[in-house]
Amino acid sequence: MVPQNYVTLTDPADIKNMEKLIDFLEDNDDVQNVYHNWEQE
């Protein structure tokens, strides 16, 4: 999957929360794939 629009997060708290969410989803056995439109710098 390739997103049409990317989002850049600049607030350190938002970046930390996004990383935490992605880690949580990847660790969950019920989740097979994680897609996002966050452009990591």
Side-chain angles (χ1 to χ4, degrees), residues 3-27:
Q4 296 288 330
N5 300 316
Y6 289 93
V7 175
T8 303
L9 299 177
T10 56
D11 185 24
D14 290 340
I15 294 170
K16 182 179 176 184
N17 287 335
M18 185 65 167
E19 289 173 343
K20 186 177 177 182
L21 174 64
I22 292 172
D23 288 340
F24 175 77
L25 290 172
E26 288 178 345
D27 290 341

Side-chain angles (χ1 to χ4, degrees), residues 21 27-29 39:
L21 174 64
D27 290 341
N28 189 329
D29 292 335
E39 185 173 7

